[in-house]
Amino acid sequence: MKPENITLISFGYFEKRFLGEIMYDVEREFRVPVVIEEGHLDLSEYFDPARRQYNGNLLLRDIDKQFASDRVKTLALFNVDLYIPILTFIFGQAFLNGRCGIASAYRLYNERYGLKPDERVFIDRLCKEVIHELGHAFGLIHCPNPTCVMRSSTYVEDIDQKSWSFCAKCKKELG
């Protein structure tokens, strides 16, 4: 069943034009209207002081409980360093064929890697990550095609190497 729309919920400060570009790219790729909302959540309960990161599993679970609905795919945007217990960090995650996902901009800035700021690179990375996690929510698994947005990304360079769109095989699976 195709959702009525996709809802992007901004938790934290994201410039409106960044959100507008993400909305445009998501609408183009999924062919579903996108709604942008602002969310508020006390992130302190997800913070692990030993790791100095935020637990993505707990955050995703609570986004699903508090903000997701059966008629809408929801993606929550954050600007904090996310992890899951088996990985050092994650850019985002989603419930496979589920109602929601999360993505974080935290590790997508060039400055994090000692490089000069590049707004275009940042926006491209964030758009790719949002589309990737929504792809999982729509039931897609990681794709071996090196340019498909559904290719797994362990490092930010992996995100840079893929496109923001689905390969022909993934498009067909999406319907």
Side-chain angles (χ1 to χ4, degrees):
M1 180 177 93
K2 198 169 190 175
E4 293 174 7
N5 66 33
I6 292 171
T7 300
L8 300 177
I9 305 176
S10 171
F11 290 88
Y13 177 74
F14 289 94
E15 289 186 32
K16 287 193 186 318
R17 64 189 172 88
F18 289 167
L19 295 173
E21 286 196 47
I22 294 167
M23 181 177 85
Y24 174 81
D25 287 344
V26 170
E27 283 180 342
R28 178 189 59 220
E29 202 57 24
F30 289 97
R31 296 183 184 100
V32 174
V34 174
V35 175
I36 296 177
E37 297 178 0
E38 193 172 306
H40 302 282
L41 200 57
D42 179 6
L43 294 180
S44 64
E45 63 189 83
Y46 307 98
F47 186 71
D48 182 332
R51 291 183 70 137
R52 296 190 341 228
Q53 292 176 296
Y54 295 79
N55 187 316
N57 287 338
L58 298 178
L59 197 51
L60 179 61
R61 179 200 67 199
D62 286 354
I63 292 299
D64 188 54
K65 283 182 187 174
Q66 297 176 41
F67 297 93
S69 115
D70 290 333
R71 297 182 327 274
V72 175
K73 296 289 184 188
T74 301
L75 189 110
L77 288 168
F78 295 93
N79 201 4
V80 297
D81 198 12
L82 298 173
Y83 79 93
I84 58 174
I86 62 169
L87 294 174
T88 306
F89 66 88
I90 57 171
F91 299 114
Q93 67 177 348
F95 288 119
L96 186 62
N97 212 19
R99 303 183 312 171
C100 72
I102 60 175
S104 175
Y106 184 84
R107 291 183 178 261
L108 303 179
Y109 298 97
N110 265 356
E111 301 90 311
R112 180 105 19 239
Y113 306 98
L115 301 171
K116 288 170 49 175
D118 189 327
E119 191 175 279
R120 181 75 260 147
V121 168
F122 166 71
I123 292 169
D124 285 348
R125 288 173 180 163
L126 189 55
C127 286
K128 290 173 189 179
E129 187 55 32
V130 166
I131 291 168
H132 178 93
E133 296 308 336
L134 284 167
H136 286 317
F138 277 93
L140 296 177
I141 60 172
H142 287 149
C143 179
N145 183 325
T147 62
C148 180
V149 74
M150 290 310 297
R151 182 174 150 233
S152 179
S153 297
T154 305
Y155 304 103
V156 74
E157 294 86 356
D158 298 331
I159 298 172
D160 293 340
Q161 291 173 1
K162 61 186 177 181
S163 75
W164 49 259
S165 62
F166 300 107
C167 68
K169 178 183 159 285
C170 288
K171 279 183 184 175
K172 185 177 179 184
E173 286 182 35
L174 270 178

